[in-house]
Amino acid sequence: MYRFLRPVFFLFHPEFIHQAIMLMLGALRFVPWGRRVVRKCCTYRAPSLGVSVLGIDFPNPVGLAAGFDKNAQHVNELACLGFGYVEVGSVTPLAQGGNPKPRCFRLPKDRAIINRMGFNNKGVAAVVKNLRRRNPTLVVGANIGKNTLTPNSHAPDDYAACFAALYPHADYFVVNVSCPNVTCLRDLQSREQLTAIVRRLTAFRAGQPQRKPILLKLSPDLTPAQIDDALEVVAREGLDGVVAANTTTRRDGLQTSPASVDHMGAGGLSGAPLTQRALEMVRYISRKTQGKLPIIGVGGIMTPQDALSMLRAGASLVQVYTGFIYQGPKFAKQLCRAIAAS
Ligand SMILES: Cc1cc2nc3c(=O)[nH]c(=O)nc-3n(C[C@H](O)[C@H](O)[C@H](O)COP(=O)(O)O)c2cc1C
């Protein structure tokens, strides 16, 4: 079915289609049996798919990556599409509009997307309000960031504010210091700046009755030495895992003409061109940490084989975004079926 719908969807601008899909997901709530029917069509269940990692029981290891449901508007409906968990955000303390449009582009020849959304979201208070409606049996991660206008010197305040507000409402947290679309955000991956942010979060967590996992989301553009630095902070500060990886600013090896790519402009590239890089990064981190650090593998998972490779490289869980756009609503089901059969 999606094979026929996709060419129609792809006639429209990506952000327009995204909004239309979000509206449809919202409408599902009011259709009798709507969610149940979608769940039946799009979910693959098998006891062998269950994973216990980060102290959380996931019904399956396939999650929806951050950026799709930035405001946690449709977590319950997205879970009906077969995802074992949904990561919402990136969330910032205050609402912000993000970068000027157009800011999201498809590269069908490369099965890829370039985006420079720039943390458009409704702010942490709105996200908390939405998460109060979530089905408590679902696993939800919250990906946190800083407002664009907040200087890096005050970034710890922004991360701490989001973390504290969301703490009762999410099962795990991801510190996003790797988005290429917010000026200088990736500088926060340096040892000193990262430590300052993370210490605020762990100090808050120490005072809470329940210890919730904190993960660090890394850029695929880091050098091995920079990855090592980040892993050292993770180990030293008692973080629980990493998400590898975010989008890349690289543009090499694309089939789309250089003129079209130039015309799209700056932004993070995701999808098939990222498959190898994300896989290598997960393999590297897994080896470095002797397979002991939980890793969420994300980046260029476009086929069931890609998901299997990611798990074999050392990821405990996987996430998809661009693959979901290209393969459609049954993508999580396809991945789960392959994982259960492996
Ligand atoms: C349109 C778009 C928006 C995104 N927004 C976010 C975001 O807000 N926070 C974040 O951590 N990652 C964001 N991402 C990155 C994804 O979560 C994921 O790390 C990346 O796209 C690689 O996975 P993929 O190849 O499966 O898309 C976004 C990706 C896309 C395509």
Side-chain angles (χ1 to χ4, degrees), residues 67-152:
F68 192 91
D69 191 2
K70 287 179 186 274
N71 299 307
Q73 280 169 299
H74 299 308
V75 173
N76 296 342
E77 290 72 26
L78 286 163
C80 295
L81 296 175
F83 293 106
Y85 62 107
V86 175
E87 191 171 305
V88 303
S90 294
V91 186
T92 57
L94 303 175
Q96 60 177 32
N99 290 321
K101 295 178 186 174
R103 53 193 179 178
C104 189
F105 310 87
R106 297 185 203 95
L107 292 75
K109 283 187 192 154
D110 291 292
R111 292 181 299 147
I113 291 175
I114 288 178
N115 93 82
R116 52 170 172 278
M117 305 298 289
F119 283 180
N120 55 312
N121 77 106
K122 294 192 170 153
V124 73
V127 174
V128 165
K129 200 169 157 207
N130 289 338
L131 282 177
R132 286 185 202 279
R133 286 200 323 252
R134 74 176 258 211
N135 173 345
T137 64
L138 304 177
V139 180
V140 176
N143 180 307
I144 56 177
K146 73 162 190 76
N147 280 113
T148 305
L149 292 178
T150 304
N152 276 2

Side-chain angles (χ1 to χ4, degrees), residues 62 162 222 227 263 288 297:
V62 180
C162 290
L222 293 180
I227 299 176
H263 192 248
K288 267 268 162 190

